[in-house]
Amino acid sequence: MGGLEKKKYQRGSATNYITRNKARKKLQLSLPDFRRLCILKGIYPHEPKHKKKVNKGSTAARTFYLLKDIKFLLHEPIVNKFREYKVFVRKLRKAYGKSEWSTVERLKDNKPSYKLDHIVKERYPTFIDALRDLDDALSMCFLFSTFPRTGKCHVQIIQLCRRLSVEFLNYVIASRSLRKVFLSIKGIYYQAEVLGQPITWITPYAFAHDHPTDVDYRVMATFTEFYTTLLGFVNFRLYHSLNLLYPPKIEGQSEVELKPTEGEAYAMDSESYLEKLSALSASLARVVAPTPEDDVEMDEFPVEGETAEQMDARKKEQEVLEKQKKLFEGLRFFLNREVPREPLAFIIRCFGGQVSWDKSLCIGATYDVSDPSITHQIVDRPRLEQQVVGRYYLQPQWVFDSVNAKLCLPVADYFPGVLLPPHLSPFVTEQEGDYIPPEKLKLLAMQRGENAGEESEEEEEEEEEDDNDDDDEEEEEEEDDSEKEEETKLKKMEEQKTQSKALPVKVTAGKVRLEDKQRLEQEQQSEEKRLAIMMMKKREKYLYKKIMFGKKRKVREANKLAEKRKAHDTAIKEEKKKNKKARRA
Amino acid sequence: MEWYQDFPHIGYDLEGKKIYKPIRNKDELDKFLEKMENPDYWRTVQDKMTGADIKLTDEQVDLVHRLQKGQFGDVHFDPYEPAIDFFSHEVMIHPVTNRPADKRSFIPSLIEKEKVSKLVHAIKMGWIKPRKPKEDTPSYYDLWAHEDPNSILGRHKMHVPAPKMKLPGHEESYNPPPEYLPSEEEKLAWEQQEPAERKLNFVPRQYRCLRAVPAYSRFIHERFERCLDLYLCPRQRKMRVNVDPEDLIPKLPKPRDLQPFPTTQALVYRGHSSLVRCLSICPGGQWLVSGSDDCTVRFWEVSTARCMKTLPLAGVVKSIAWNPNPTIRLVAIAVEQSVLLVNPSLGDKLLYGATDQLLESYVAPEEERVQPVQWVAATTEEHGKGIRLVIQHSRPVKQVTWHGKGDYFASVLADNSNMQVLIHQTSKRWSQNPFRKSKGLVQCVLFHPIRPYFFVATQRYVRVYNLLKQELTKKLMTNCKWVSSMAIHPGGDNIICGSYDSKLAWFDLDLSTRPYQLLRHHKKALRSVAFHKHYPLFASGSDDGSVIVCHGMVYNDLLQNPLLVPVKVLKGHALTWDLGVLDVLFHPTQPWVFSSGADGTVRLFT
């Protein structure tokens, strides 16, 4: 036995990981500082494959970081800033203690601060990377911008968040990149497609927050600190990609005009700019004025290995997209005051519509209620006292559903006071075997262009439902097949038994047994399958059973939903009948 | 004063003599009389110092009244005199004080001059600069102006990007389709679940209109939890199993191509009233014999299911074995402590006559040898039944099995000692105990069909002994808890072992001492296993009432491993007392399988 002695845990995975406490000691940081650094630099713990090996034989619960990550943190300039800040706090405390106010002032002026530009660049080497990770940043900024300006966190952060989120909304309007919206019970989900990347964010409903006590706002503030930096740079780049001025300017307003009398009455001079921007009603100024012949016909290059069908499909998709972008073009909306203004104004403007609201509600109203050219008025109250002829009065859900359906839906279902049709999530893509609500089927049919009369539609719906049920039953049958087989077998056996039991032998006329060939073949196949399953290896059998269990559960859940729907529909029908009878009587 | 309360004096004078209190001899009545009679009583007070009564004057009474009212004691004091401003905003022509100014107030300060000159110098030298207005708005620029499209993440390739938040489904809508709303029970179940176990972290609800939707109370919580997930949750790359389950099923040759094998139940042999424990068949395949717990042995004709003969015995039949030699008609039956050799007297008269002659031609040796058992010839009564010889053991016999030639047979005793296995020679009526030491509880034994090997299965191992060399050649590890039965391939190179933990182990003796394959086909304990003499088939019977027939092809080519394919699951036996199939047996020439069950029947599958 030659060679050096191999010691345990000195090579392999044990050397690639480091526990949190060790990492902290190596960096000489306190735990809050370490956490802050991890948040800013995007360092996260890793779960090793063999935890016991990495943990040097112990099974205690520990979090592990990659050693490379920690080594990489060692050279971070921000760590020094953290230490400087610690010193600063110490000095300041001392000056306060000695009541040296001039020193306090001086120290406060020279408060150490750090920038996160290089970290953004480092974490997202390309712009696309940054866009991919924008979901959380946007959601966080939108949440922070709704916080009250007192307590919880610094006012500057809240203002910055508000500014950045408004800028982003303005970009989405200018680029018309909004794709999906969804009213959930948690908030409003939006999905935009920026440079081919889907970006989803959620905004809370505009109510005061019930601030929870078990939430660490410092952690959230650290995240927000990074996210605001990221979002600022992304906004800058996005604005420049559209030839827009970056600190955005509202079109058609020079510096002098920026202080109209109306604005002064509404807000302070410093705030009126942001308020106007957040009204989302005016378009933005461009660096280069767009010429009407800007839309150059894109040349098409067939991608290799793409069939004509695929190309057609792509073309069609493109067309649908273009159509969706101009969904509300030419329509003039008016928002009543009980309707959430910002989301609706944002959505309508994103699809080319014009929007206004009451002048006293918010700055930036462009026309009045009495304007005769208004085509749609969004209303959220049970009934209206006086209605103007020539415009539709609609509930806000119409706007959301139309955007998701990519076409202007028939307005009849959305009149004020009417029981609304269900609002479906646009984020669900049903696969085969999943449950599809009948409303979705209807919508898909409408998108395909099958626009029959309503009655026939209802029939269709019913038929589809029936089809669904049939399918389900078939599936169930398939499930039950094996059981049935066994049953039949047992029955046969019983028959034989009874026959053989009847010992006083009697000869009765035999019956020609009709054998269903298909059925027989099926049985044989399923038996073969069962025999083959018997021969599977233990591990594979386990996996197979797990997969089949998951599939069956899925089918079960879909069936359950379908059943519930059926019960609900029949209940409603019966009620209708009763009402009819009551009316007749 | 209260110090002197109990004394007659009230102090001392300068000379130290006591000053006595004035003598007061007024009692209550006197006091009352005075109060009534003296008009100045109300203005009389007692001087505590002297003890004398003092009558207040009018001025003094007036003062008391004024003080009681909270007025000043002095009648002439005026509290509301007009105020005169001494210092006012008006500049007076005269100084308030007449003190002349100090000299130092006319001379510029040297210290200040020094300080100012220092500052001036610092400004001149550029050490002090005017404070820059602080910029609190961050400035942005094109950060990705020179991006490298090929650059991966700066650090390393182990980066695991955070998974995105799950997108909301229909149930999260403020106005979901009615089927997504939970019923009352579902709501209750949701509330009783642990928060971590819940499938949805909210209860779907329906609101009539958008105006009625309230704020979501856990919004900040959820964002915070997402933050925690992002920086505290350990990440690991997990490969999602994306397998078509059909691909997992092994591709086996179709059973149809592996025919012949038994597929359907053809005959049921009824007659036994209790469990049928054992089966055996004559080498020609015409007669079947079965032993049961109802203390009988029945002989059946295979093709007609007719019971030809019933042989009542003294006890439960544990095991039964038909002599494999086709020229001898002899059946060994294990009943309690004895093994009976029975001539069934069925079929060809020449044959069974020859067997009887053979048995009678035995000549006892001159000197009696010591034997572990007693060979006793049958009595005439027994002879009439067909019993020819009785071999009396010291213990109950569990199993009998014949050697391929039909002269030797082995019996297994239910014992713990070294006398668990005995080998008997019929022609010489001689028995011997091959083992000196017990190696555990022997379950069953088996002769090799060709070579002089002897297999002994204990609870967990199968030992292979060479009978010629009288040594242990191999010890097979079965990987089972308790072996129940064993069968050998007619080629002699493969063994199957059934076990009570519902496993069937296939051994390839050339390959290794561990099972080549461990088949878990049955759901309950295996009771017996059997090989077919000619066809590549083997069967196993189990407590779950099923017989599974498998195709077990052994190739002559040593490099090719045996091919094991289950071809048929045969069901028919009813479960009684949790027992299903107790014994399985193949027909010697046809691809038929017999099974005996706890329901008292023997079934033939063809």
Side-chain angles (χ1 to χ4, degrees):
Chain A
M1 298 285 281
L4 287 169
E5 186 193 359
K6 270 188 194 172
K7 279 187 183 163
K8 244 181 169 182
Y9 311 123
Q10 292 211 342
R11 61 179 68 208
S13 55
T15 53
N16 289 338
Y17 292 93
I18 186 168
T19 61
R20 193 192 60 185
N21 258 346
K22 273 194 184 158
R24 209 172 54 72
K25 275 191 188 133
K26 190 164 191 156
L27 292 169
Q28 302 183 4
L29 284 174
S30 65
L31 191 57
D33 271 349
F34 177 69
R35 284 192 172 156
R36 211 136 58 100
L37 190 66
C38 284
I39 291 170
L40 293 177
K41 295 280 283 180
I43 305 289
Y44 46 86
H46 279 254
E47 183 79 7
K49 237 179 193 172
H50 302 286
K51 208 161 182 192
K52 207 173 159 190
K53 265 185 204 168
V54 173
N55 216 349
K56 310 207 166 143
S58 140
T59 47
R62 286 205 179 95
T63 46
F64 292 98
Y65 289 85
L66 274 182
L67 189 67
K68 274 190 180 174
D69 279 348
I70 301 303
K71 277 187 178 163
F72 161 77
L73 287 181
L74 277 175
H75 309 292
E76 181 54 48
I78 277 194
V79 178
N80 268 337
K81 288 284 179 190
F82 284 167
R83 293 189 188 123
E84 268 174 38
Y85 193 81
K86 216 166 67 182
V87 174
F88 157 75
V89 169
R90 208 165 52 210
K91 279 183 184 165
L92 197 69
R93 206 185 298 130
K94 201 170 172 184
Y96 264 117
K98 289 183 174 176
S99 359
E100 291 172 349
W101 306 121
S102 59
T103 321
V104 167
E105 201 109 306
R106 200 194 67 234
L107 282 173
K108 273 188 176 171
D109 277 343
N110 294 330
K111 185 178 167 182
S113 64
Y114 51 84
K115 283 192 162 184
L116 299 173
D117 307 6
H118 65 286
I119 294 184
V120 173
K121 174 81 182 175
E122 193 178 75
R123 278 177 69 172
Y124 307 109
T126 61
F127 184 54
I128 296 294
D129 290 336
L131 284 181
R132 257 181 224 148
D133 230 9
L134 210 58
D135 288 12
D136 291 312
L138 278 173
S139 299
M140 202 62 151
C141 279
F142 275 99
L143 172 65
F144 262 65
S145 62
T146 59
F147 276 177
R149 304 283 145 103
T150 52
K152 296 303 166 207
C153 48
H154 293 293
V155 181
Q156 287 93 337
I157 287 187
I158 295 170
Q159 277 171 344
L160 184 64
C161 282
R162 175 77 187 147
R163 196 190 112 196
L164 291 171
S165 49
V166 165
E167 280 171 8
F168 185 78
L169 289 186
N170 271 309
Y171 164 76
V172 173
I173 291 175
S175 64
R176 297 210 175 168
S177 48
L178 192 67
R179 293 288 171 272
K180 290 168 182 175
V181 281
F182 179 51
L183 290 167
S184 93
I185 54 173
K186 294 182 179 174
I188 305 175
Y189 286 89
Y190 302 91
Q191 190 172 54
E193 202 178 284
V194 181
L195 301 183
Q197 298 294 331
I199 296 173
T200 318
W201 71 94
I202 179 175
T203 60
Y205 287 114
F207 290 104
H209 289 287
D210 179 18
H211 282 285
T213 48
D214 52 344
V215 162
D216 189 355
Y217 279 91
R218 278 174 306 171
V219 170
M220 299 237 283
T222 315
F223 267 102
T224 314
E225 203 180 337
F226 176 74
Y227 285 153
T228 48
T229 319
L230 169 66
L231 195 56
F233 284 115
V234 168
N235 275 350
F236 185 92
R237 172 96 181 202
L238 287 176
Y239 271 73
H240 278 256
S241 69
L242 281 189
N243 277 336
L244 294 169
L245 287 171
Y246 173 56
K249 286 214 173 72
I250 291 160
E251 202 176 36
Q253 274 180 332
S254 62
E255 292 289 321
V256 189
E257 269 180 310
L258 256 171
K259 298 184 227 168
T261 48
E262 180 206 356
E264 250 170 70
Y266 180 76
M268 276 202 307
D269 215 26
S270 56
E271 287 173 352
S272 69
Y273 162 68
L274 186 61
E275 289 294 332
K276 262 189 206 155
L277 204 63
S278 59
L280 303 172
S281 65
S283 45
L284 303 177
R286 290 179 187 255
V287 178
V288 186
T291 49
E293 290 146 34
D294 231 8
D295 301 326
V296 185
E297 275 278 312
M298 290 295 242
D299 289 338
E300 282 184 5
F301 299 100
V303 182
E304 261 181 64
E306 200 177 40
T307 58
E309 279 178 26
Q310 278 173 327
M311 227 155 75
D312 277 353
R314 216 172 42 148
K315 229 181 188 176
K316 228 177 203 175
E317 221 168 76
Q318 205 92 35
E319 269 172 29
V320 169
L321 197 69
E322 285 302 313
K323 222 172 153 189
Q324 194 199 1
K325 276 184 186 175
K326 290 172 185 167
L327 186 64
F328 294 146
E329 208 131 278
L331 303 183
R332 280 166 83 84
F333 289 84
F334 187 84
L335 306 180
N336 255 20
R337 55 170 60 251
E338 71 274 8
V339 165
R341 187 197 66 86
E342 197 176 291
L344 275 168
F346 169 60
I347 293 166
I348 292 167
R349 292 258 298 127
C350 270
F351 295 96
Q354 277 177 298
V355 66
S356 181
W357 46 84
D358 198 87
K359 208 184 282 174
S360 60
L361 181 66
C362 184
I363 200 171
T366 43
Y367 45 87
D368 209 28
V369 207
S370 51
D371 195 327
S373 61
I374 291 173
T375 56
H376 294 73
Q377 185 165 347
I378 308 295
V379 172
D380 197 4
R381 47 180 85 175
R383 66 203 151 82
L384 278 178
E385 300 302 311
Q386 43 194 352
Q387 296 198 348
V388 179
V389 180
R391 63 175 80 160
Y392 292 120
Y393 287 87
L394 294 171
Q395 297 208 38
Q397 196 188 318
W398 180 80
V399 177
F400 290 85
D401 280 352
S402 298
V403 167
N404 292 337
K406 299 177 184 174
L407 48 93
C408 282
L409 291 172
V411 289
D413 297 341
Y414 297 92
F415 286 145
V418 164
L419 191 70
L420 288 167
H423 180 58
L424 297 176
S425 166
F427 301 110
V428 180
T429 46
E430 276 93 356
Q431 268 125 24
E432 239 184 86
D434 284 354
Y435 171 73
I436 308 176
E439 287 85 8
K440 179 108 184 184
L441 290 172
K442 213 165 149 187
L443 181 72
L444 288 175
M446 213 187 283
Q447 277 172 349
R448 264 180 268 124
E450 298 161 20
N451 211 350
E454 264 188 44
E455 284 174 356
S456 63
E457 245 172 45
E458 268 176 28
E459 278 172 17
E460 262 180 34
E461 192 187 313
E462 277 168 23
E463 277 170 19
E464 275 161 357
E465 268 178 45
D466 290 350
D467 287 353
N468 259 1
D469 295 344
D470 286 354
D471 287 351
D472 295 341
E473 276 165 17
E474 272 171 26
E475 281 164 9
E476 277 166 37
E477 268 176 25
E478 278 169 14
E479 277 176 34
D480 293 345
D481 255 358
S482 51
E483 288 172 26
K484 273 186 185 170
E485 246 175 70
E486 284 174 14
E487 270 177 39
T488 47
K489 257 190 193 172
L490 281 178
K491 264 184 195 170
K492 271 185 209 167
M493 264 168 218
E494 273 173 27
E495 279 171 22
Q496 282 169 358
K497 246 191 217 172
T498 47
Q499 277 171 12
S500 51
K501 257 184 197 170
L503 263 182
V505 183
K506 225 194 252 174
V507 180
T508 48
K511 274 181 195 167
V512 180
R513 199 188 280 164
L514 284 171
E515 281 195 338
D516 192 358
K517 262 191 182 174
Q518 223 177 347
R519 178 97 190 167
L520 222 74
E521 204 164 301
Q522 232 178 20
E523 272 176 28
Q524 207 166 16
Q525 270 178 359
S526 67
E527 196 187 345
E528 267 171 32
K529 200 170 153 189
R530 257 181 297 139
L531 289 172
I533 288 170
M534 279 200 319
M535 275 310 278
M536 273 160 105
K537 278 175 199 157
K538 205 174 174 187
R539 188 186 295 169
E540 282 178 356
K541 206 192 234 169
Y542 173 73
L543 184 64
Y544 178 80
K545 276 187 180 163
K546 225 171 153 184
I547 293 174
M548 291 318 269
F549 176 77
K551 276 189 172 176
K552 272 186 188 166
R553 188 179 51 194
K554 229 177 174 180
V555 169
R556 212 166 48 225
E557 272 167 14
N559 285 350
K560 196 179 161 195
L561 283 177
E563 222 166 74
K564 249 178 151 181
R565 179 67 186 221
K566 214 174 175 184
H568 180 262
D569 285 352
T570 48
I572 279 184
K573 259 184 197 169
E574 271 177 22
E575 205 152 282
K576 265 186 191 170
K577 268 184 196 172
K578 261 187 198 172
N579 283 347
K580 258 186 195 173
K581 273 183 190 173
R583 244 182 276 155
R584 271 180 208 164
Chain B
M1 294 306 288
E2 55 258 27
W3 293 349
Y4 298 98
Q5 251 174 7
D6 299 336
F7 295 102
H9 58 280
I10 52 164
Y12 301 91
D13 61 3
L14 287 174
E15 284 156 10
K17 285 179 181 167
K18 289 173 180 172
I19 303 169
Y20 287 95
K21 288 178 187 170
I23 299 160
R24 299 179 67 97
N25 44 11
K26 281 182 190 167
D27 56 2
E28 290 296 312
L29 191 62
D30 287 336
K31 275 184 194 168
F32 179 72
L33 286 176
E34 198 183 344
K35 191 178 174 183
M36 286 290 109
E37 288 165 4
N38 193 357
D40 290 335
Y41 178 78
W42 61 273
R43 59 160 71 178
T44 314
V45 289
Q46 191 188 7
D47 187 0
K48 272 186 182 169
M49 291 291 283
T50 59
D53 286 344
I54 298 167
K55 197 175 139 194
L56 298 180
T57 57
D58 279 349
E59 286 93 63
Q60 281 166 330
V61 169
D62 199 33
L63 180 67
V64 168
H65 276 297
R66 290 175 68 82
L67 289 177
Q68 273 176 342
K69 277 180 191 166
Q71 288 167 344
F72 288 97
D74 191 0
V75 188
H76 305 291
F77 182 73
D78 179 12
Y80 307 111
E81 273 180 55
I84 300 157
D85 280 349
F86 189 71
F87 295 105
S88 69
H89 63 283
E90 285 163 17
V91 180
M92 290 186 285
I93 49 166
H94 299 296
V96 179
T97 60
N98 214 9
R99 193 163 180 266
D102 282 329
K103 185 186 176 187
R104 65 171 178 268
S105 63
F106 297 104
I107 302 168
S109 160
L110 259 181
I111 299 169
E112 276 181 11
K113 189 187 161 196
E114 249 172 46
K115 278 194 171 167
V116 169
S117 67
K118 259 187 188 171
L119 284 175
V120 169
H121 181 64
I123 289 169
K124 270 185 189 167
M125 298 301 283
W127 296 337
I128 296 180
K129 277 173 197 161
R131 237 172 239 157
K132 272 184 207 159
K134 254 197 156 178
E135 237 183 80
D136 52 347
T137 49
S139 62
Y140 299 113
Y141 51 92
D142 194 359
L143 191 66
W144 292 280
H146 309 287
E147 70 179 21
D148 179 10
N150 297 327
S151 71
I152 45 157
L153 195 76
R155 312 205 289 272
H156 49 74
K157 291 168 190 170
M158 292 277 275
H159 179 60
V160 186
K164 292 202 168 188
M165 288 282 272
K166 217 181 131 222
L167 289 171
H170 296 313
E171 62 276 355
E172 210 183 305
S173 166
Y174 85 103
N175 182 15
E179 61 267 33
Y180 286 98
L181 294 172
S183 60
E184 286 299 318
E185 299 111 56
E186 282 168 333
K187 250 187 224 171
L188 207 70
W190 185 89
E191 270 161 21
Q192 279 167 353
Q193 268 176 335
E194 289 286 314
E197 280 177 1
R198 290 170 185 164
K199 220 170 174 194
L200 295 173
N201 54 5
F202 59 94
V203 182
R205 285 204 55 186
Q206 190 171 29
Y207 296 98
R208 204 171 21 79
C209 55
L210 185 57
R211 196 188 47 203
V213 183
Y216 182 58
S217 59
R218 289 191 53 82
F219 194 91
I220 297 179
H221 266 118
E222 277 183 11
R223 292 275 22 122
F224 179 61
E225 271 159 24
R226 171 71 179 169
C227 288
L228 291 188
D229 281 352
L230 282 178
Y231 89 99
L232 283 182
C233 186
R235 295 187 201 166
Q236 189 180 33
R237 225 177 250 287
K238 281 237 161 133
M239 296 322 247
R240 246 223 138 84
V241 187
N242 198 8
V243 198
D244 184 15
E246 299 303 319
D247 292 348
L248 287 174
I249 299 173
K251 292 277 166 288
L252 294 174
K254 284 199 171 171
R256 221 174 306 159
D257 308 336
L258 301 175
Q259 272 167 351
F261 55 82
T263 51
T264 50
Q265 180 177 279
L267 288 173
V268 184
Y269 303 79
R270 288 175 198 280
H272 283 294
S273 57
S274 186
L275 334 169
V276 186
R277 277 208 187 268
C278 44
L279 285 175
S280 188
I281 192 162
C282 83
Q286 195 182 358
W287 312 103
L288 178 73
V289 61
S290 64
S292 160
D293 267 16
D294 58 1
C295 306
T296 56
V297 169
R298 279 170 189 263
F299 293 86
W300 313 85
E301 194 177 13
V302 168
S303 51
T304 57
R306 178 172 296 172
C307 180
M308 301 301 291
K309 201 173 171 186
T310 308
L311 187 64
L313 292 171
V316 172
V317 181
K318 280 283 170 61
S319 173
I320 203 161
W322 202 298
N323 195 325
N325 191 345
T327 57
I328 299 173
R329 278 287 153 87
L330 210 54
V331 180
I333 302 170
V335 180
E336 290 188 336
Q337 297 203 352
S338 53
V339 174
L340 312 176
L341 293 182
V342 174
N343 189 343
S345 319
L346 290 172
D348 195 351
K349 199 164 185 182
L350 272 178
L351 262 180
Y352 64 77
T355 310
D356 277 348
Q357 278 177 6
L358 192 73
L359 285 175
E360 279 159 14
S361 66
Y362 167 74
V363 183
E366 287 114 35
E367 45 184 298
E368 190 87 0
R369 281 188 294 184
V370 183
Q371 289 197 32
V373 295
Q374 277 186 311
W375 292 73
V376 181
T379 58
T380 45
E381 188 190 341
E382 283 173 342
H383 199 279
K385 282 185 189 173
I387 301 172
R388 297 292 177 264
L389 276 172
V390 180
I391 305 149
Q392 285 172 349
H393 292 66
S394 55
R395 304 270 170 181
V397 182
K398 278 203 294 193
Q399 193 213 350
V400 285
T401 178
W402 285 96
H403 183 252
K405 292 262 168 54
D407 190 16
Y408 288 92
F409 71 93
S411 61
V412 180
L413 309 188
D415 191 9
N416 262 341
S417 68
N418 61 342
M419 222 177 62
Q420 287 189 68
V421 181
L422 295 173
I423 294 178
H424 314 274
Q425 191 176 8
T426 328
S427 55
K428 292 184 179 165
R429 302 202 180 171
W430 186 64
S431 309
Q432 57 183 341
N433 177 12
F435 300 120
R436 224 170 301 144
K437 240 167 88 180
S438 152
K439 288 279 174 74
L441 209 59
V442 175
Q443 298 300 311
C444 54
V445 295
L446 202 64
F447 285 101
H448 193 282
I450 308 159
R451 266 168 282 178
Y453 287 141
F454 188 57
F455 299 90
V456 178
T458 55
Q459 274 183 24
R460 310 192 59 167
Y461 305 103
V462 176
R463 290 186 170 78
V464 187
Y465 294 95
N466 191 330
L467 289 175
L468 278 185
K469 291 184 188 166
Q470 303 207 332
E471 63 180 13
L472 178 74
T473 35
K474 239 174 213 175
K475 185 176 159 195
L476 306 178
M477 263 67 98
T478 57
N479 287 1
C480 306
K481 290 273 151 56
W482 197 313
V483 172
S484 65
S485 53
M486 182 168 58
I488 188 159
H489 189 264
D493 276 346
N494 295 281
I495 288 184
I496 50 174
C497 278
S499 78
Y500 287 118
D501 50 350
S502 61
K503 286 181 206 162
L504 190 146
W506 174 290
F507 291 97
D508 197 330
L509 292 182
D510 298 334
L511 219 59
S512 107
T513 58
R514 297 205 169 268
Y516 160 65
Q517 224 165 35
L518 210 57
L519 309 174
R520 293 179 193 80
H521 294 170
H522 286 285
K523 294 198 175 61
K524 282 187 181 171
L526 262 77
R527 288 277 165 183
S528 73
V529 289
F531 261 115
H532 199 282
K533 279 250 169 63
H534 305 294
Y535 292 104
L537 290 174
F538 64 92
S540 56
S542 150
D543 276 353
D544 58 7
S546 66
V547 176
I548 294 181
V549 181
C550 299
H551 177 88
M553 189 64 178
V554 178
Y555 300 96
N556 286 333
D557 179 9
L558 284 177
L559 291 175
Q560 204 164 1
N561 284 329
L563 170 77
L564 307 182
V565 184
V567 287
K568 190 72 191 169
V569 180
L570 299 167
K571 286 180 181 169
H573 286 284
L575 293 186
T576 26
W577 304 317
D578 271 351
L579 294 174
V581 179
L582 294 176
D583 200 4
V584 289
L585 181 71
F586 272 107
H587 193 274
T589 50
Q590 299 291 328
W592 298 347
V593 68
F594 299 93
S595 69
S596 72
D599 54 352
T601 59
V602 178
R603 286 162 198 260
L604 168 65
F605 298 94
T606 56

